[in-house]
Structures are given as structure tokens and as C-alpha cells.
Amino acid sequence: MAFVSATSLFLQNQTTPGWEWKIVGYLDMTDPTQRCPNSWQSITSPRSSCGKKTNAYCDSLTITTSGASYQTVCGRIRGYQYRTPDGFNPTGSIETHYVDGISVTYGTPGNRHHVYTYTVGHEETYNGGSCPCAGGNGPPLFVGFDYYCESGNPGPGDVSQEMYSSDVLWDGQQCGGNEITCCKPPNLPWFCKTFSTPISEDLEIRICMDESGDNENVAIESFEIYIQGEMSFMI
């Protein structure tokens, strides 16, 4: 893709002098001309979106960086909860299942490195599978504080068997019950991660669940992924 100017105020505030932003991944399922990647399931109702397709732990989409050298990754993801995701598996591995949600990494299978995680809690009231901010399990050590978590289910219990389409996840709004602090991170829905040295490996977005997609899922409505590096290395 071509170079882009940092039109978003968030990206403008994250710009390092002498560096340039490049958009490497984009999906907007509110646009009727767009389609889900082949590795993800197409969901048409009640929200046009993309979900986990297979019974594997994670369904992956590679975000190609075309060999560009970059040191910062920023982006945002918009989605909805489907049925009963269970937050974090604190003993999970980055290579398999550590979260019910969306994992953003760089590297290749067997040598993945964590960038950011968008987690889906079971419900806003307390449950073992709720978000950490609602009393649920904390993340594995490799995640650290580089995650967002929210549930679309107000609870208690499974009050819906389908998509919670009235509550957009990770947007800083509608965090009820025990989940109030889940909406406190100031940059929601944006994440930003800066590395100590430049890298040039492809990025990966994985939709991960420890059960089949008809029992729990997260529906991605849109995402944007940007990388930033020195202008001479981004060509």
C-alpha cells in the first residue's frame, strides 16, 4: 500500500520526527464492497463482520509489511462478542491458545512475538472468564499490560445466545457491572507498541477461541494497522 499521512490525531501524537507512517492492514465490513479474508468466517447478520472459521485454536491473517523496517506498530480493532468467550488463559502459550479474543503478533509460527491483545470477557459481572478488570483471570506474562478487555454481555449469565451487537467492544463505552475500569485506558480503541530496535517481519492478526466458533467467537467489524519507521527505510 502507499504511504499515508497521519490524519488521525492519535497517530499525529505518536509520530517520531523523521519517521513516516505506512498503512499495512485495513478492513471495514460496513463497506458493502469489502469481503472477509478467506481464512475467516463471513458473518452477515446482525452485523456484517468476520469471525473464527475453523475448529483450530486460532484462525490467522498475515499482514504483509513488504520488508519495510519499522519500530512502532499502531492500530485499532472494532468487534462484537458472540456467545461465551472466556477472557484469558493465564498459562497459555503465544503459539496456541492464551486468549479468547484477537492476538496481534509479529514473526512466524514457532517464533511469534506479542504486540497487542484484544480480549473478550464472558460477562460484565464477575465470572471466572470475565476480564481481569472485572475480577477474571489475568493475562500470561508475555502479554504484560499490552491488552484491552471488554465484554458485550451485561450478565449475569448468558442472556443471549447470539451476537451482542448493541455493545461495540474496546471502544471505551458501555462498561457496566464490575467492568467499569475496562473502559478507562485513555487511548481506546487505539493501541501502540514501540520496539527497542527496528524489525521488518510481517504482522499477524489471529482470532482465537478455545471452543468452536458456533459456541464462542468474536466478530471483527473493522481494523486498521499502521507501521512507523525512518523514511529512508520505509521505501
Side-chain angles (χ1 to χ4, degrees):
M1 293 185 180
F3 289 103
V4 294
S5 59
T7 55
S8 160
L9 179 61
F10 176 80
L11 290 181
Q12 290 176 14
N13 290 337
Q14 299 296 323
T15 299
T16 299
W19 289 16
E20 179 65 88
W21 285 108
K22 182 180 182 182
I23 185 168
V24 291
Y26 177 84
L27 178 72
D28 182 3
M29 292 303 294
T30 66
D31 179 348
T33 67
Q34 296 213 5
R35 299 290 182 268
C36 293
N38 290 335
S39 56
W40 292 349
Q41 175 189 4
S42 177
I43 300 170
T44 58
S45 179
R47 301 277 187 177
S48 182
S49 51
C50 307
K52 182 169 169 283
K53 185 176 185 178
T54 73
N55 288 329
Y57 281 133
C58 300
D59 285 349
S60 171
L61 174 67
T62 298
I63 305 295
T64 302
T65 60
S66 302
S69 178
Y70 60 95
Q71 204 159 340
T72 301
V73 181
C74 293
R76 58 180 173 179
I77 300 176
R78 177 184 175 99
Y80 299 92
Q81 176 177 345
Y82 181 84
R83 297 191 70 178
T84 59
D86 302 306
F88 279 113
N89 171 12
T91 62
S93 162
I94 195 172
E95 299 297 337
T96 56
H97 172 262
Y98 72 91
V99 68
D100 281 358
I102 300 166
S103 173
V104 183
T105 58
Y106 72 88
T108 55
N111 191 34
R112 290 184 172 98
H113 303 271
H114 185 254
V115 177
Y116 223 85
T117 297
Y118 284 74
T119 312
V120 189
H122 187 281
E123 60 186 66
E124 293 177 355
T125 54
Y126 173 72
N127 178 286
S130 295
C131 291
C133 54
N137 289 327
L141 290 176
F142 65 82
V143 173
F145 296 104
D146 293 331
Y147 72 91
Y148 294 135
C149 189
E150 187 180 346
S151 176
N153 176 4
D158 303 327
V159 298
S160 170
Q161 293 302 304
E162 301 298 335
M163 185 189 294
Y164 294 88
S165 58
S166 63
D167 187 352
V168 179
L169 299 175
W170 319 300
D171 63 345
Q173 302 180 49
Q174 292 180 265
C175 291
N178 295 348
E179 207 180 61
I180 293 175
T181 59
C182 295
C183 282
K184 296 296 185 181
N187 291 327
L188 280 167
W190 288 94
F191 76 88
C192 210
K193 182 79 168 279
T194 298
F195 307 102
S196 57
T197 58
I199 57 177
S200 58
E201 296 177 78
D202 288 342
L203 295 157
E204 183 180 24
I205 299 176
R206 290 181 295 161
I207 302 175
C208 298
M209 297 282 158
D210 65 350
E211 298 179 33
S212 62
D214 59 352
N215 188 55
E216 57 184 28
N217 213 331
V218 54
I220 296 178
E221 185 174 66
S222 63
F223 70 76
E224 300 171 65
I225 303 293
Y226 300 83
I227 59 175
Q228 183 183 218
E230 294 185 64
M231 295 179 66
S232 60
F233 290 102
M234 294 285 286
I235 298 173

